Amino acid sequence: AATKRKPDRPAGRPKKRAKRAPSAAEPDAKPGPEGAGQAEYSIPPPVSQGKWKNKERVLIFSSRGIDFRARHLMQDLRTLMPHSKADTKMDRKDQLFVINEACEMKNCNKCIFFEAKKKQDLYMWLSNTPQGPSAKFLVQNIHTLAELKMTGNCLRGSRPLLSFDPTFDKEPHYALLKELFIQIFSTPRYHPKSQPFVDHVFTFTITDERIWFRNYQIIEEDASLVEIGPRFVLNLIKIFQGSFGGATLYENPRYQSPNMHRRLIRLSVAAKFREKQQVKEVQKIKKKGSKVLIGEDRTEVVFETPAEEKPVEIQLVKPESKPIVKDKKKPRKIQRKKQKKLFRTEH
């Protein structure tokens, strides 16, 4: 039936009643017609009843001048960390303490900043903004998700397990880095963009004075691990007390800058070239030295017998020339040969 219109109000659709269900707070619902209507419908409760208390947010961005591999690595970390945020690239001329203001504007208390130098060296900053501490690493042996093409796979937004090498608990600077890694890479519980289960592992292993990062998927059948990626190696440079600066808490004595490494390679190549040139010069000197005549040996003429000396005769008169004798038989031989040829042709 059509609704009756009143002169004061315009016509409208009748409002639907919200669906409700008897909750635990109302166990004694009346069995009457009023209570039956309220207990018929229900709103499903949320999946997780907990509250999002650990509100860690990580700002992941870079400076200008990074190459494609570093850009893909940065994007992979953003996909693996649902509590991360992105920002535009920072200009090279800006100072690093400006990043603290960018984190404050983005409401982030952790930061991963990729700094590129000479379009071939990549540095990573891990910082707890704005108080600190912060650590600077040289990133080596980068392999991204698209490059590896591993068989493993994990759901986007799932929470990871963090596995650390036992060496992290032995050294104080490694213990500080372990706490920094836990706060940055672990997904906060009950985060809105995260999934409420665990299906992959982040491993941090110390080998050759470097930190090796790997990402593995947990297979449910036999709890085995399959690598997903990305993978990279962090070479620690310094640990600072403040955020992107301050007093130096630790400096790696075994760290060698990429410029020094390339310089040593050039010097080794130049040393090999000089060594080859020296070998060639020594060979030339040896060849020249072999042509030097050895002194005469007195024993060489022991068995030689001297020949008789003939007197030298000097002719004062010119010798007479011999007369030329012509061969008289020669023309006769030629005539005989001609006669034989004629005889052969006639017969």
Side-chain angles (χ1 to χ4, degrees):
T3 56
K4 295 183 180 180
R5 296 184 180 179
K6 293 183 180 182
D8 298 338
R9 298 179 183 177
R13 295 182 180 178
K15 296 181 180 180
K16 294 184 179 179
R17 299 182 66 182
K19 298 181 181 180
R20 293 177 56 192
S23 59
E26 299 175 357
D28 301 331
K30 295 182 180 181
E34 296 179 358
Q38 293 177 357
E40 186 177 357
Y41 305 104
S42 63
I43 297 175
V47 177
S48 81
Q49 299 290 344
K51 292 183 180 180
W52 178 29
K53 296 180 181 179
N54 181 20
K55 297 191 178 182
E56 296 281 354
R57 299 182 183 89
V58 183
L59 181 64
I60 303 177
F61 70 116
S62 67
S63 64
R64 297 194 180 277
I66 62 172
D67 57 351
F68 70 97
R69 185 172 281 112
R71 186 174 67 252
H72 283 279
L73 175 63
M74 181 176 61
Q75 190 62 34
D76 293 343
L77 290 178
R78 287 175 183 170
T79 56
L80 290 173
M81 300 165 63
H83 60 292
S84 64
K85 287 189 176 182
D87 198 2
T88 57
K89 294 180 180 179
M90 194 181 75
D91 197 358
R92 297 181 190 175
K93 297 180 181 179
D94 296 339
Q95 299 295 329
L96 291 178
F97 62 83
V98 180
I99 301 174
N100 296 326
E101 299 178 2
C103 292
E104 186 179 356
M105 292 172 62
K106 290 286 184 177
N107 197 16
C108 297
N109 50 5
K110 299 290 185 297
C111 180
I112 299 178
F113 177 67
F114 291 94
E115 185 180 6
K117 290 185 179 180
K118 294 186 176 181
K119 296 185 179 181
Q120 54 184 342
D121 303 329
L122 181 65
Y123 297 91
M124 178 191 286
W125 285 83
L126 300 180
S127 176
N128 180 22
T129 56
Q131 290 84 14
S134 59
K136 185 179 181 181
F137 302 91
L138 174 67
V139 188
Q140 299 172 332
N141 300 337
I142 301 173
H143 299 280
T144 59
L145 278 171
E147 182 182 355
L148 286 174
K149 296 181 181 178
M150 297 291 186
T151 56
N153 191 12
C154 66
L155 187 64
R156 182 169 183 172
S158 59
R159 302 180 69 245
L161 291 175
L162 299 184
S163 174
F164 291 93
D165 194 271
T167 316
F168 278 96
D169 299 327
K170 297 178 182 178
E171 300 289 340
H173 59 281
Y174 283 139
L176 178 61
L177 291 178
K178 178 180 178 181
E179 185 63 29
L180 195 61
F181 287 146
I182 290 173
Q183 295 182 12
I184 290 178
F185 287 95
S186 61
T187 303
R189 197 176 182 187
Y190 304 121
H191 192 277
K193 293 183 180 180
S194 65
Q195 301 294 335
F197 53 85
V198 177
D199 62 349
H200 63 286
V201 185
F202 290 161
T203 61
F204 298 89
T205 310
I206 297 175
T207 306
D208 194 19
E209 301 296 331
R210 291 170 174 81
I211 301 173
W212 301 63
F213 175 86
R214 296 290 184 272
N215 181 22
Y216 297 97
Q217 179 199 1
I218 303 173
I219 299 178
E220 297 180 358
E221 287 77 9
D222 53 353
S224 61
L225 299 178
V226 179
E227 188 175 358
I228 304 173
R231 56 163 69 167
F232 53 89
V233 180
L234 299 176
N235 190 2
L236 178 62
I237 302 174
K238 283 185 181 181
I239 300 177
F240 300 95
Q241 184 177 2
S243 177
F244 296 98
T248 303
L249 299 179
Y250 175 78
E251 184 175 359
N252 188 6
R254 298 180 183 86
Y255 170 72
Q256 188 182 60
S257 64
N259 293 332
M260 180 61 67
H261 181 67
R262 288 190 286 266
R263 180 174 176 271
L264 292 176
I265 290 175
R266 289 195 299 268
L267 289 176
S268 64
V269 172
K272 288 181 180 179
F273 180 75
R274 285 197 299 270
E275 185 178 355
K276 288 182 179 179
Q277 293 295 327
Q278 291 175 0
V279 170
K280 288 182 180 179
E281 290 177 0
V282 170
Q283 290 176 354
K284 287 181 180 178
I285 293 171
K286 286 183 179 179
K287 289 180 180 179
K288 290 180 180 178
S290 62
K291 295 180 181 179
V292 177
L293 298 176
I294 301 173
E296 294 182 357
D297 191 4
R298 297 179 180 178
T299 60
E300 288 183 354
V301 295
V302 173
F303 299 101
E304 290 183 1
T305 55
E308 295 180 359
E309 294 183 0
K310 296 181 180 181
V312 180
E313 295 181 357
I314 300 173
Q315 293 183 0
L316 299 176
V317 182
K318 183 178 178 182
E320 296 179 359
S321 60
K322 296 181 180 180
I324 300 171
V325 180
K326 293 183 179 180
D327 189 6
K328 298 180 180 180
K329 297 181 180 180
K330 192 172 182 179
R332 293 179 182 179
K333 291 179 180 178
I334 295 170
Q335 288 179 359
R336 287 176 186 175
K337 286 181 180 180
K338 289 181 179 180
Q339 289 176 0
K340 286 180 181 180
K341 288 181 180 180
L342 292 171
F343 181 75
R344 288 174 185 174
T345 51
E346 289 176 0
H347 292 282

